[in-house]
């Protein structure tokens, strides 16, 4: 049997013996740890572990059964949470976007170059404008307009489309609509958003205008998981770039775009490689 | 006569002919423009000009009289403001600091190396702790404690000391007291402060703790002119640096320090070289 | 008549009165200076001036005649060089590229968003692979293969194509062929190249492999004008990004791409806005 | 018994079971892994592991004996190398410096603030100039002049001083003398140097002058371990900062200093926290 690889994410309350317990379990089942990263939250004693490993003798689904049976014994911790990701099961990404193409095009390009770590399986937009830019990538483009007072219907349609595309990750790549709590609960899977400011500065609409008016000397971008509170979800990645008195609001938007693109791409890649764990309203992002 | 140099700062409403008018005036008076930077605010049409020039035939004080007589004619603008700085008149800086030495030590070092563009003539602190670090630089260190309920007296004492030292610029290098509006009005000259966050995020006390709690992925610092509203004055320079889930509040403070030091030094140097002009609550910082 | 705008670039040996002379000339001809940047080389006394101005009473071509007649009188300098660019005459860019699309796609996107400051009028590649990515932008894509020992013919064909497209700027966006001295002389107009290292480190082939082998902790990119000596032309912009021991050569290439994209875009935009002047083997890049 | 902490560095050829083996060994001896970082070199299969752990039942010296006896059994690898560092045994740093104080002052300040992770026990300089700046830190300052043709004697004197101070790490904080191979071999312990360029660009003397002449748009600094070949040792940390056509050689040096300070401080701290492992001419620097 050829070696299969998988990623095991574990979190539990820290106590002696966790590493020995789990590494024995993997070793005894013919697995070799290729990469391992851990973190302990000093405030509350939670322990987080990411293990990328190769299994030589068991299929990943067999390992899942082994882990389900043995991990609770090995860790005997009330707060144990774990997930196993089979490397052959690539994530299926749907990009939601409005009229600004830069983040969408960048993600499509990285997908095209095989650098994203997952597959873009669809683009959903509330406007038809960007369809031509998606065409070369042979990814379906769906227009779902959001009419005033009828957001609920649009969201139901989006949800149906996400399910149809067997989407596992939604990326809001400058999607200029706020998703309702109902949508978020119905969807129930991760959503990564790019906000065009260095949060928590400039929450909400028109952050570049806000930045211009405050006279800041840098603009930035923040990729975060979407939660019900606007622009308040766990931050994954952030970046900034210098601006000056010469720059108009339009210049800030132009310069900021370059940061948005990179910050979002880093967050999406980290998520797809299972390098991001959430803990309360924060993230652990393994390098 | 040896050439003297000076810096002329002009602001007025933009209209054709300003540059021709002023450059003729300088040329006709034997001055040569060495460096020139300009900016026009697109929102309100204000024009800002910094001219660094050499005068071959007149002393700088004579040029001041010439400009006072001729500039209003040449520019004939109701909103004209101008200032002339003689390069031989170096600014006299007083650093105010509490217990954290990093920004103070950095400014003293730069002064010592002749890189600051002005002279540090005193250090005022509400604690005696940092005196030994100041001693090698042969700059007077004055302790003015700020006792609860007696801030007014401490401020009066500080004011007296600033006058005694013929201070022209106050730098708050992690001075952990909020200066009162009374003090600011009585002092009436510029004060540069370093705030340990990328403003407008994390205004007020304990910004690193606020940053830790929000789970940001970068920390920063902001140098700004002090106004009556806390942490809301015109921003001069800003910077950020990456942090991660590994970092405790203490780590954020440690990493942030390196940004504070550089951001403050850049702001102070820019101010001393007359590269900073304020316009409303914003700054123009010529490179 | 509606105001027309143009950019005047001047270089000459510095002497008193230049600014007064030229600004009078412009003022007397009904022009208003909107933006002005200057630089004096301290080593050899050369003065460089970029003036962006509006002409209210004369067409830009009339101003060209006025300047041709009057500038030499006003400046009376043996070393005077000047150029006038009419803002309505947009530059015509041809991108040359091989198989890696990232820089090309980025420039096409910026052109599409109207942010480039010039028009991409064609893409020339030695491989047909990238044609589908160019199609949405409605820009002609031409494949000119470079066969071993027949580079001369390929270059002749490229040259013909550049002329046909009335190209004014060639951008090498990861074009993996070295252009011959014959080609450079025949073409005679500017060529901007992106080299995937922080020059002068890692000149020549496979810079990421060289960087990996040296064990550097950052990779970078350099945009420069092409001259006959490989990777030795005047540098316009540079950037770097952090890498670590975890990164393979492939990872360096992946991370470096993000720097290449931004560094090249900044250089091309600066060139198109006439913000770049060359002086010997260096550039002056006005902000 | 109160818990003691230590850092265990291991390197060996990778094979299944290493992590299980060592973590069992630690667990069986009452140790808890607090922090763990690992890396496998994809080129040659070497495995590197840093474990920061607490021992509840054994003193660190007892653990050393246990590890000496058991590690070779647990790992049974011909290429095994390991080191154990007791956290209570702080490293003893000697700074060597010439006339430029910035890096030295910065390290002394960090030591003073308790942020360095080791103790500065002496400063050795070939000039007496910086003595006053060292005095407030109560660290011995020794002048050992290096006279032309008598470097050998100076090095012998330095060596004696390093031994007398029981130094474990030498930091060259802008020490403008090249240390001989004889000295390096006699000393035999690590030396960290700061070179004022982004190596491998601008090896050797006057890198800022070299950078100015090449017309680069960024300057940088590199902290590396010293080996016999000049500026060619394993790189620990690097950084760059933007410069422009306005900057003279002196300006490059001034701007570069800020990078030197931070890059060196990061390297020294990483070394002191046992986060740096060397592998051939490269380093692994755990975050």
């Amino acid at each position: 049997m050829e070696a299969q690889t998988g990623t095991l994410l574990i979190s539990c309350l820290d106590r002696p013996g966790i590493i020995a317990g789990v590494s024995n379990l993997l070793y005894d089942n013919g697995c070799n740890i290729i990469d391992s990263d851990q973190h302990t939250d000093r405030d509350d004693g939670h322990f987080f572990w990411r293990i990328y490993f190769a299994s030589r003798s068991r299929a990943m689904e067999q390992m899942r059964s082994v882990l389900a049976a043995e991990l609770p014994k090995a860790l005997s911790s009330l707060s144990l949470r774990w997930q196993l990701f089979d490397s052959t099961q690539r994530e299926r990404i749907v990009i939601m976007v409005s009229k600004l193409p830069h983040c969408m095009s960048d993600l499509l390009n990285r997908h095209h170059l095989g650098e994203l770590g997952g597959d873009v399986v669809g683009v959903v937009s509330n406007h038809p404008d960007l369809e031509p830019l998606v065409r070369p990538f042979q990814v379906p483009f769906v227009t779902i307009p959001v009419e005033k007072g009828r957001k609920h219907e649009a969201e139901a349609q989006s949800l149906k489309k996400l399910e149809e595309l067997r989407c596992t990750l939604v990326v809001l790549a400058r999607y200029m609509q706020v998703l309702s709590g109902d949508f978020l609960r119905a969807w129930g899977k991760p959503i990564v958003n790019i906000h065009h400011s260095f949060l928590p500065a400039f929450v909400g609409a028109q952050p570049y205008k806000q930045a211009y008016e405050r006279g800041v000397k840098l603009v930035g971008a923040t990729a975060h998981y979407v939660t019900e509170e606007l622009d308040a979800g766990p931050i994954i990645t952030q970046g900034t770039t210098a601006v000056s008195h010469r720059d108009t609001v339009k210049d800030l938007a132009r310069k900021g775009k370059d940061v948005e693109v990179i910050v979002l791409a880093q967050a999406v890649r980290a998520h797809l490689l299972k390098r991001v764990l959430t803990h309360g309203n924060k993230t652990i992002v393994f390098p």
Side-chain angles (χ1 to χ4, degrees), chain A residues 92-106:
Chain A
R92 299 174 61 81
I93 304 141
V94 170
I95 297 171
M96 294 181 78
V97 66
S98 293
K99 289 188 170 176
L100 287 171
H102 53 290
C103 288
M104 177 199 76
S105 291
D106 177 74

Side-chain angles (χ1 to χ4, degrees), chain A residues 44 48 81 234 278-283:
Chain A
D44 64 12
F48 300 87
R81 287 189 306 161
T278 56
H279 183 41
N281 203 41
K282 296 186 185 181
T283 61

Side-chain angles (χ1 to χ4, degrees), chain A residues 169-208:
Chain A
L169 174 70
V170 172
V171 177
L172 306 184
R174 299 298 302 273
Y175 182 65
M176 307 311 279
Q177 296 285 329
V178 178
L179 296 170
S180 72
D182 285 346
F183 177 89
L184 299 181
R185 280 183 297 272
W187 166 240
K189 295 202 192 77
I191 304 177
V192 174
N193 180 49
I194 183 75
H195 183 75
H196 38 313
S197 84
F198 48 95
L199 288 174
F202 312 129
V203 165
Q206 295 190 287
Y208 290 125

